[in-house]
């Protein structure tokens, strides 16, 4: 976890600000929002850290904003995870980002097909 302390969360905050302006909501799901929960998949083609629900939540927070715990990350396989967002609009916006390349990881978003 100590290796994650140097991450820059500013890009995620910029994406989160864009979501707030466009959709008037947060990125992560909150039960009190009155919105329906929607899911996305994120897969990692590389990562310099152990992938688990907690570290994936932090990786998501660093690249798309929100709050790590609010994504309710669920492990599907070794490098693939499901996470929740606040609305279908936000889901498609994040999906449109497709690939995120960072110094410590490369992740790919896809629509969750439960």
């Amino acid at each position: 976890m100590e290796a994650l302390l140097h991450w820059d969360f500013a890009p995620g905050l910029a994406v989160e600000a864009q979501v707030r302006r466009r959709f008037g909501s947060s990125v992560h799901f909150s039960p009190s929002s009155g919105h329906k929960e929607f899911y996305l998949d994120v897969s990692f083609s590389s990562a310099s850290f152990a992938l688990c629900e907690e570290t994936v939540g932090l990786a998501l927070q660093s690249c798309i904003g929100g709050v790590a715990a609010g994504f309710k990350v669920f492990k599907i396989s070794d490098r693939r995870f499901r996470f929740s967002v606040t609305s279908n609009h936000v889901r498609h916006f994040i999906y449109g980002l497709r690939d995120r390349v960072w110094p410590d990881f490369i992740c790919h978003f896809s629509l969750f097909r439960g």
Side-chain angles (χ1 to χ4, degrees), residues 4-80:
L4 307 181
L5 296 177
H6 73 279
W7 282 7
D8 179 8
F9 289 83
L13 292 173
V15 171
E16 182 176 16
Q18 218 176 349
V19 166
R20 281 204 188 283
R21 279 193 307 275
R22 228 178 204 181
F23 309 113
S25 70
S26 64
V27 176
H28 64 278
F29 175 72
S30 172
S32 64
S33 70
H35 294 271
K36 182 180 173 194
E37 185 173 24
F38 286 87
Y39 297 100
L40 283 159
D41 274 0
V42 62
S43 59
F44 291 80
S45 57
S46 74
S48 65
F49 52 91
L51 293 170
C52 67
E53 285 89 350
E54 186 178 30
T55 59
V56 168
L58 287 171
L60 290 170
Q61 184 177 336
S62 76
C63 64
I64 62 173
V67 175
F71 289 120
K72 295 169 48 179
V73 176
F74 177 80
K75 186 175 185 174
I76 296 171
S77 66
D78 285 345
R79 296 189 163 272
R80 188 170 158 232

